[in-house]
Amino acid sequence: QVHLVESGGGLQQAGGSLRLSCAASGNIFSTNTMGWYRQAPGKQRELVARMSSTGITIYADSVKGRFIISRDNAKNTVYLQMNSLKPEDTAVYYCNVWVNPARDYWGQGTQVTVSS
């Protein structure tokens, strides 16, 4: 079983920064993709950023140049540095670890609220 623990969400003013962390424990395979998704009220969950175990990254267009994803493979931890925050970044952010279709794990979510 895999367990994901997220931290770092909260309230921030527009233009500010927050850093999210997600620590994974359990049967994490060495080859995986770790990432962040978000879901705003009334909207579908969307990809924010993800990084493979080999360092390949993908960002949503809306966060390119503002957010940076990184990971520490030794600690099975993924981070999301969020800079120049905007009110439209307000959402619940979910950590995800994907190994294969049968091993797709989600965190409980952490609220990020950006005030204007």
Side-chain angles (χ1 to χ4, degrees):
Q1 187 65 21
V2 172
H3 187 52
L4 305 180
V5 178
E6 299 149 337
S7 60
L11 175 64
Q12 181 59 271
Q13 290 185 334
S17 298
L18 284 172
R19 188 189 193 214
L20 304 182
S21 300
C22 173
S25 60
N27 193 12
I28 297 291
F29 288 78
S30 59
T31 301
N32 58 58
T33 297
M34 302 182 79
W36 295 92
Y37 291 71
R38 68 186 181 188
Q39 187 167 19
K43 295 187 176 182
Q44 290 187 332
R45 189 175 297 188
E46 62 177 4
L47 170 70
V48 177
R50 63 176 186 241
M51 176 181 276
S52 72
S53 52
T54 58
I56 298 173
T57 59
I58 295 176
Y59 290 93
D61 288 343
S62 59
V63 307
K64 283 181 180 177
R66 299 189 297 122
F67 292 9
I68 301 172
I69 189 170
S70 61
R71 57 187 285 171
D72 185 333
N73 291 333
K75 297 180 179 179
N76 287 327
T77 300
V78 62
Y79 307 94
L80 185 68
Q81 178 66 43
M82 304 186 293
N83 302 318
S84 303
L85 284 164
K86 303 177 180 180
E88 51 263 44
D89 294 320
T90 295
V92 177
Y93 284 69
Y94 296 91
C95 175
N96 174 259
V97 174
W98 188 93
V99 179
N100 57 47
R103 299 180 185 275
D104 186 13
Y105 307 103
W106 294 90
Q108 80 283 359
T110 184
Q111 177 70 46
V112 171
T113 302
V114 183
S115 61
S116 57

